[in-house]
Amino acid sequence: MMNNRIKRVVFPREHGLDFYAPLLALGVFAAITFLELLPALAGPAGVSAAVTSSAWALVPVVFTLILVWLIDYWEPEPLWLYAFAFVWGSGVSVVVGATINDFASARVLPRLLNEGATVYDISRYTASWIAPLSEEAVKGAGIILIYLVFRQYFNGPVDGIVYGALIGAGFAFTENILYFVRNYDFLAEVFTVRFLDGPLSHDTYSAMFGFCIGFAEYSKSKWALARWSIPALASAGTFHFINNDALYWEGMTYESYKFITNVPLALVATGMVFYARRYEKQAVLGGLEPYVKMGWFARHEVVMISRIRNRRQALLWAERQALRLGAPAGSGAEAMRRFQNIMLQIGHKTTRAARSGRLGDPIERASVFSLLEQAQTLRSVFTMR
């Protein structure tokens, strides 16, 4: 009789069609930017060289994806949003950034510099002063867009690091192809300089930008996003400036350059990741505490959500329990996956509301209550509760 308790399980759509409108818009924009970039990618050395260069340029991307997985595994974001970030970086950021750089090089800098300024001077100022600001601003705009449009999936500094790293990886991917096809006869040497001698570049600069933007999520000020954008751009732009300008410094050797542009950046990035991971976990678990006291969640469910290993075991357990209760195959695991995601959302929402002074806001409370009800419905798939 128990096995017939659940005849059919229907999971509602997690998003409406209007939710994907920005993704569709970006897809169209990405196609346009790709057509814009195509002559620059295939022109210098031909289509075959562009394909080979693309394969080489994928190596740093794989490296970044591994790091992103390690950073984001506690609360991974949807793959389609990973793709959104990468496409923004590889298409939109490259085209808009290059347009700004070209305009500054051709129109702005010649007027600002004295009449004796050479092409070399203009090139240096463009690379060292214009590019760090323009490129980090355009890449950062993608992070801010995700923050504003897909707020549900932007839960603090860890998510900012992840989206920033993916946008930076996309930017570096296209930029590397351009460098490779223009110097195709020296592909191995250029690859060494672009990746092996400096693996922490655009990915890390944008990750810094995202790290700062992530703290706007927990601020009481309505101007938090604008305020956090200032240190975001300043930190990303400063390290970008050092990378682009340090070789011009008096007495600088290439070995010293590699140390200056990699070691401090690696130390800052490592500290940033560890701090953000700890910050995120405390925010989620702390936000769930009130609901444990009110009986919405059991203590063992919070323990379950606190570790990836526990969550995986819970998926297997839920599937077995759901089958015993008569649910179709796969329903238990899917219900538990959604149950876990809702717990994470509630933890983030409650902490965010508490720190921003919106804990008593009727809209915020209604949103959390709706999630709590969904959690109870999902729990019924794999328990008698």
Side-chain angles (χ1 to χ4, degrees):
M1 186 171 181
M2 183 181 295
N3 289 338
N4 294 324
R5 186 173 75 88
I6 300 177
K7 301 284 187 182
R8 184 166 174 261
V9 178
V10 178
F11 294 108
R13 294 179 62 137
E14 292 186 278
H15 305 294
L17 293 178
D18 59 329
F19 184 84
Y20 296 100
L23 297 178
L24 179 62
L26 181 65
V28 174
F29 199 9
I32 295 172
T33 56
F34 176 76
L35 293 175
E36 180 75 18
L37 287 168
L38 194 58
L41 296 175
V47 175
S48 176
V51 172
T52 303
S53 297
S54 299
W56 281 67
L58 276 174
V59 176
V61 174
V62 173
F63 176 75
T64 299
L65 288 176
I66 293 172
L67 291 179
V68 163
W69 179 80
L70 291 172
I71 293 167
D72 201 36
Y73 77 90
W74 196 78
E75 189 208 351
E77 305 308 324
L79 292 178
W80 55 262
L81 204 43
Y82 285 0
F84 182 101
F86 187 83
V87 169
W88 180 275
S90 61
V92 178
S93 295
V94 174
V95 172
V96 177
T99 301
I100 295 172
N101 293 343
D102 290 345
F103 177 80
S105 177
R107 301 288 184 88
V108 179
L109 288 176
R111 295 179 181 179
L112 293 178
L113 299 176
N114 58 49
E115 295 181 357
T118 64
V119 174
Y120 172 85
D121 295 328
I122 293 175
S123 176
R124 177 182 176 180
Y125 275 95
T126 301
S128 300
W129 292 97
I130 303 300
L133 291 176
S134 65
E135 293 173 5
E136 297 312 322
V138 175
K139 289 188 293 175
I143 299 170
I144 292 173
L145 181 65
I146 294 173
Y147 178 91
L148 294 173
V149 178
F150 303 108
R151 191 69 168 270
Q152 176 185 347
Y153 297 105
F154 203 122
N155 295 313
V158 170
D159 290 351
I161 290 172
V162 167
Y163 297 136
L166 290 168
I167 288 174
F171 188 96
F173 173 70
T174 302
E175 190 176 64
N176 281 338
I177 297 174
L178 292 170
Y179 274 98
F180 294 163
V181 295
R182 291 169 183 170
N183 303 276
Y184 192 67
D185 292 337
F186 307 96
L187 182 55
E189 291 85 350
V190 177
F191 178 83
T192 299
V193 172
R194 294 285 301 172
F195 176 55
L196 298 181
D197 288 351
L200 302 171
S201 56
H202 284 288
D203 317 43
T204 315
Y205 310 147
S206 299
M208 284 183 178
F209 193 109
F211 174 75
C212 293
I213 295 300
F215 289 104
E217 190 74 355
Y218 297 101
S219 175
K220 294 182 180 180
S221 171
K222 64 180 181 180
W223 299 103
L225 183 59
R227 289 178 178 175
W228 279 104
S229 295
I230 297 172
L233 184 58
S235 58
T238 297
F239 278 99
H240 196 155
F241 163 79
I242 293 171
N243 182 80
N244 288 10
D245 197 67
L247 273 176
Y248 296 105
W249 298 352
E250 187 176 351
M252 180 65 66
T253 65
Y254 190 62
E255 292 303 316
S256 298
Y257 169 79
K258 287 194 292 182
F259 180 88
I260 289 173
T261 56
N262 286 299
V263 175
L265 189 59
L267 293 174
V268 171
T270 302
M272 182 175 69
V273 169
F274 277 102
Y275 180 83
R277 286 280 302 276
R278 183 171 175 270
Y279 188 92
E280 177 185 52
K281 195 168 186 178
Q282 288 179 338
V284 171
L285 300 183
L288 289 172
E289 277 302 309
Y291 306 103
V292 174
K293 294 176 181 177
M294 288 187 285
W296 286 99
F297 295 115
R299 173 62 60 189
H300 68 82
E301 289 172 333
V302 176
V303 173
M304 175 265 293
I305 208 71
S306 68
R307 297 185 63 186
I308 295 297
R309 181 180 178 183
N310 295 349
R311 290 189 220 170
R312 291 171 180 163
Q313 291 174 342
L315 291 173
L316 298 175
W317 173 85
E319 180 63 15
R320 290 194 301 268
Q321 290 296 108
L323 289 173
R324 290 173 186 168
L325 294 171
S331 297
E334 176 63 14
M336 177 58 80
R337 182 189 68 79
R338 294 194 181 203
F339 180 79
Q340 292 172 352
N341 287 341
I342 284 176
M343 286 190 71
L344 292 168
Q345 285 183 56
I346 291 173
H348 277 300
K349 272 180 168 290
T350 303
T351 298
R352 182 164 56 241
R355 293 180 182 175
S356 61
R358 293 183 288 110
L359 201 56
D361 182 73
I363 297 177
E364 196 73 31
R365 293 176 66 181
S367 174
V368 172
F369 185 74
S370 174
L371 290 172
L372 288 168
E373 287 189 317
Q374 291 177 46
Q376 305 316 305
T377 301
L378 290 167
R379 185 191 278 118
S380 69
V381 176
F382 48 80
T383 68
M384 293 294 293
R385 183 176 172 181

